[in-house]
């Protein structure tokens, strides 16, 4: 549905600057499946590419080379069918050398799919770039792929012939709430901010998932149709997503499955115990790749050490799969609509809203007027004390100006009302935090909620308020 560029202003400017640099550029664009990588590139380069190629999924070397030949023959009729990737890139070089002066833009999409078993594709690409293109000033090679582990290993962190040869990398993240709002407005949806936030909490800001929605249906109808109908287009997307992003995706799924059970996150030691994976470099690499793709984050809890780093799931789509989609045991095609008032919805929406907030920390800081103050976002879990319940604060903004925002994140369909139980819980959290951390910083209780705070005799202890409207900015 999307035909005009929404958001991506920074990424677009980067790509335009690289294409106008006056020297040869090797640009790697990466990010999760369906996030809009190809759309961004095509919007920027338009019809200026002198050669474009898209790799074929699950094709062998012969078919990949045939695909290359047919693509090259469209712009270079004299092309000869190559028998290897070395010959293929030699044909491409011959074609490019015959072109008039000026920048020569080459766009290879789904690059990882070209690297079939024993194809020697990476070596041929290295030879093409190092032996010819890099020595010129007019070659702009843009490569793109959803298989993130391949892109990171073979292009971004390549330790062979392409080591330090890639000139730039651009990560394409999912839409923010503001970009999501722009998308729905431009495509004729009449959804309010709360409904768009709910879409984000389910689909994680992935442009393609939004494109499958229709303005003729409510949010609930769209979600039921896409995820829970027997022919739903996103019914099997979770498995396809991880399989397309990561080679040998089982370990990645095992890790996010474990993290989905613990909202605050798990230490490396806890993850190893829960997943039963081996404690080695491969495990470290798997965590790094999940983080680079935006599925998880790592952070040091307040007043803990680097050894206590926590890994936390931050991908809304993955959370929705585990908390909701995978629980539809009776194959109810209206599962979402039928559970909107259920305990499952309330439990999921609370965690999903916290995740939404964690993905919009900058907007929270902006609403608090502290964007220019050095700070870090973390969480805190109390140490066990005999006879005392554990206390947990899911978001702390620890500021360099000797102030800490203790953030409570609450998803509500109306103004949030603090009752006596909430008041006691908040007071206990603050008292326990002050006693155990012995912090000398000023504490500022901050409520992040959907539609503001209902005033009553308990609301006075909230010192700062951030609403959903603030997160859309």
């Amino acid at each position: 549905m999307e035909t005009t560029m929404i958001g991506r202003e920074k990424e677009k400017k980067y790509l335009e600057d690289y294409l106008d640099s006056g020297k040869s550029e090797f640009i790697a664009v990466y990010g999760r499946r369906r996030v809009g990588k190809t759309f961004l590139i095509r919007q920027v380069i338009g019809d200026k590419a002198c050669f474009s190629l898209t790799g074929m999924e699950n094709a062998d070397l012969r078919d990949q080379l045939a695909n290359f030949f047919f693509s090259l023959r469209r712009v270079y009729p004299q092309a000869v069918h190559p028998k290897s990737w070395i010959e293929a890139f030699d044909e491409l070089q011959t074609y490019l050398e015959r072109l008039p002066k000026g920048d020569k833009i080459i766009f290879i999409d789904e690059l990882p799919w070209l690297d079939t078993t024993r194809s020697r594709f990476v070596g041929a690409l290295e030879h093409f770039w190092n032996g010819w293109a890099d020595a010129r000033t007019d070659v702009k090679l843009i490569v793109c792929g959803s298989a993130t582990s391949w892109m990171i290993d073979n292009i971004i962190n390549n330790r062979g012939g392409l080591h330090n040869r890639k000139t730039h990398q651009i990560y394409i993240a999912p839409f923010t709430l503001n970009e999501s709002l722009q998308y729905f407005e431009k495509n004729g949806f009449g959804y309010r901010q709360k409904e768009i936030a709910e879409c984000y909490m389910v689909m994680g800001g992935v442009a393609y998932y939004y494109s499958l929605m229709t303005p003729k249906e409510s949010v609930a109808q769209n979600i039921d149709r896409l995820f829970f109908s027997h022919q739903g287009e996103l019914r099997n997307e979770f498995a396809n997503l991880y399989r397309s992003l990561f080679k040998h995706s089982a370990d990645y799924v095992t890790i996010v499955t474990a993290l989905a059970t613990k909202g605050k996150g798990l230490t490396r030691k806890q993850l190893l115990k829960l997943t039963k994976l081996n404690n080695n470099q491969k495990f470290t690499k798997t965590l790094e790749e999940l983080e680079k793709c935006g599925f998880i984050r790592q952070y040091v809890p307040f007043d803990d050490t680097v050894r206590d780093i926590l890994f936390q799931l931050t991908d809304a789509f993955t959370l929705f799969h585990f908390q909701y989609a995978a629980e539809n045991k009776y194959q109810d095609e209206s599962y979402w609509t039928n559970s909107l008032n259920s305990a499952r919805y309330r439990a999921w929406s609370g965690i999903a809203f916290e995740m939404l907030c964690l993905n919009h920390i900058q907007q929270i800081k902006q609403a608090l007027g502290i964007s220019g103050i050095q700070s870090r976002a973390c969480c805190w879990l109390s140490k066990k004390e005999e006879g005392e319940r554990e206390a947990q604060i899911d978001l702390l903004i620890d500021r360099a100006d000797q102030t800490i925002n203790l953030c409570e994140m609450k998803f509500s369909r109306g103004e949030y009302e603090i009752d006596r139980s909430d008041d006691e819980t908040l007071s206990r959290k603050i008292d326990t935090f002050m006693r155990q951390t012995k912090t000398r910083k000023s504490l500022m209780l901050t409520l992040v909620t959907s539609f503001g705070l209902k005033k009553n005799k308990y609301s006075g202890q909230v010192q700062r308020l951030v609403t959903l409207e603030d997160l859309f900015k």
Side-chain angles (χ1 to χ4, degrees):
M1 186 180 292
E2 182 184 359
T3 57
T4 58
M5 181 72 69
I6 292 171
R8 315 295 193 207
E9 295 302 324
K10 182 172 63 175
E11 295 84 353
K12 179 183 176 184
K13 182 66 166 56
Y14 287 155
L15 189 52
E16 289 172 341
D17 288 346
Y18 301 155
L19 294 177
D20 196 36
S21 67
K23 60 181 181 180
S24 288
E25 301 282 7
F26 187 161
I27 307 159
V29 181
Y30 73 106
R32 66 186 291 162
R33 162 184 163 101
R34 313 292 204 185
V35 82
K37 302 180 296 297
T38 301
F39 183 80
L40 168 68
I41 295 168
R42 293 199 182 282
Q43 286 284 304
V44 172
I45 66 176
D47 59 357
K48 296 178 183 177
C50 56
F51 176 69
S52 295
L53 174 68
T54 300
M56 299 168 60
E57 187 175 13
N58 298 322
D60 60 16
L61 174 61
R62 184 183 65 177
D63 287 344
Q64 298 287 7
L65 288 172
N67 178 38
F68 175 94
F69 168 65
F70 297 143
S71 298
L72 184 59
R73 190 174 62 179
R74 291 187 184 95
V75 293
Y76 178 46
Q78 298 89 344
V80 176
H81 197 308
K83 297 177 182 178
S84 67
W85 280 115
I86 283 287
E87 290 185 13
F89 280 107
D90 185 67
E91 281 293 301
L92 177 60
Q93 178 180 327
T94 300
Y95 158 63
L96 295 173
E97 287 175 337
R98 295 187 178 189
L99 293 176
K101 287 186 177 181
D103 287 339
K104 298 162 180 60
I105 299 175
I106 306 158
F107 175 36
I108 305 180
D109 198 6
E110 297 300 355
L111 185 79
W113 289 348
L114 299 174
D115 186 32
T116 54
T117 305
R118 292 188 292 276
S119 67
R120 299 182 179 179
F121 171 78
V122 175
L125 177 63
E126 291 173 353
H127 179 72
F128 168 75
W129 182 258
N130 296 334
W132 180 76
D134 190 39
R136 300 173 65 95
T137 61
D138 58 354
V139 179
K140 311 290 185 177
L141 174 60
I142 306 171
V143 299
C144 176
S146 295
T148 305
S149 60
W150 190 97
M151 290 290 290
I152 291 172
D153 285 348
N154 293 279
I155 303 297
I156 295 169
N157 292 336
N158 185 285
R159 292 293 179 263
L162 289 178
H163 179 56
N164 288 334
R165 294 294 187 171
K166 174 259 316 162
T167 57
H168 302 287
Q169 64 190 57
I170 302 175
Y171 170 66
I172 307 300
F175 281 160
T176 62
L177 277 176
N178 181 270
E179 291 166 336
S180 299
L181 174 63
Q182 291 179 50
Y183 175 88
F184 285 112
E185 286 182 342
K186 286 188 177 181
N187 287 288
F189 289 79
Y191 295 163
R192 299 167 301 166
Q193 286 186 351
K194 185 258 180 188
E195 293 168 314
I196 294 172
E198 198 168 56
C199 291
Y200 182 96
M201 286 156 62
V202 170
M203 302 180 193
V206 177
Y208 175 74
Y209 300 163
Y210 289 165
S211 76
L212 300 176
M213 300 177 68
T214 171
K216 297 178 181 179
E217 296 178 346
S218 67
V219 172
Q221 288 174 315
N222 272 299
I223 292 173
D224 275 332
R225 174 175 55 82
L226 293 173
F227 288 91
F228 300 114
S229 70
H230 291 310
Q231 302 300 322
E233 292 172 274
L234 296 178
R235 188 181 179 93
N236 299 311
E237 175 63 12
F238 177 81
N240 293 334
L241 171 64
Y242 281 84
R243 190 165 53 243
S244 70
L245 284 173
F246 307 114
K247 191 175 182 180
H248 309 303
S249 62
D251 287 355
Y252 299 85
V253 173
T254 299
I255 289 172
V256 296
T257 302
L259 291 175
T261 66
K262 295 290 183 181
K264 72 177 181 65
L266 295 165
T267 64
R268 181 187 179 101
K269 185 177 180 180
Q270 290 169 331
L271 263 175
L272 287 166
K273 182 178 179 181
L274 208 57
T275 61
K276 295 181 172 54
L277 295 174
N278 293 322
N279 186 12
N280 52 23
Q281 185 60 35
K282 180 184 176 185
F283 185 77
T284 300
K285 178 184 166 188
T286 303
L287 290 172
E288 288 174 350
E289 291 179 0
L290 282 168
E291 185 175 13
K292 284 180 178 177
C293 286
F295 287 99
I296 68 173
R297 71 161 182 155
Q298 60 171 301
Y299 66 97
V300 179
F302 188 86
D303 78 352
D304 280 333
T305 66
V306 174
R307 289 176 298 178
D308 299 310
I309 284 177
L310 285 173
F311 296 90
Q312 183 181 39
L313 181 67
T314 54
D315 180 58
F317 179 82
T318 300
L319 177 75
F320 179 75
H321 170 78
F322 287 114
Q323 295 275 335
Y324 231 107
E327 295 299 319
N328 185 19
K329 298 176 182 177
Y330 297 103
Q331 303 298 303
D332 180 0
E333 292 197 342
S334 299
Y335 186 58
W336 177 260
T337 301
N338 291 336
S339 61
L340 286 176
N341 294 312
S342 68
R344 177 171 299 283
Y345 176 86
R346 289 190 292 274
W348 164 80
S349 61
I351 300 171
F353 184 69
E354 290 178 5
M355 193 171 285
L356 179 151
C357 293
L358 292 175
N359 286 317
H360 290 79
I361 295 291
Q362 293 307 315
Q363 286 79 3
I364 293 175
K365 291 180 180 179
Q366 183 178 336
L368 294 172
I370 60 171
S371 297
I373 299 174
Q374 187 177 25
S375 62
R376 71 181 182 111
C378 57
C379 84
W380 174 79
L381 181 65
S382 67
K383 296 176 175 63
K384 291 183 178 180
E385 295 178 326
E386 189 174 348
E388 294 288 337
R389 286 184 296 168
E390 284 188 345
Q392 181 173 326
I393 300 173
D394 293 314
L395 177 59
L396 288 164
I397 302 179
D398 184 15
R399 296 155 47 175
D401 61 353
Q402 299 303 300
T403 303
I404 301 172
N405 289 91
L406 306 182
C407 299
E408 282 290 308
M409 299 169 283
K410 300 292 184 182
F411 184 70
S412 174
R413 293 179 175 178
E415 286 186 322
Y416 187 76
E417 183 173 5
I418 299 176
D419 58 21
R420 181 178 177 180
S421 176
D422 289 334
D423 182 65
E424 291 175 351
T425 300
L426 289 171
S427 297
R428 182 173 56 84
K429 282 185 180 183
I430 294 171
D431 290 344
T432 307
F433 178 79
M434 293 177 67
R435 185 179 69 254
Q436 291 194 0
T437 64
K438 296 180 174 58
T439 183
R440 294 184 178 180
K441 292 188 176 183
S442 299
L443 303 183
M444 193 171 291
L445 181 59
T446 304
L447 179 65
V448 186
T449 189
S450 313
F451 299 107
L453 176 65
K454 186 173 182 178
K455 290 188 176 182
N456 62 17
K457 64 180 182 180
Y458 302 115
S459 61
Q461 67 171 313
V462 174
Q463 295 159 288
R464 296 301 305 270
L465 181 65
V466 179
T467 66
L468 192 56
E469 185 176 358
D470 294 317
L471 301 183
F472 271 89
K473 293 178 181 177

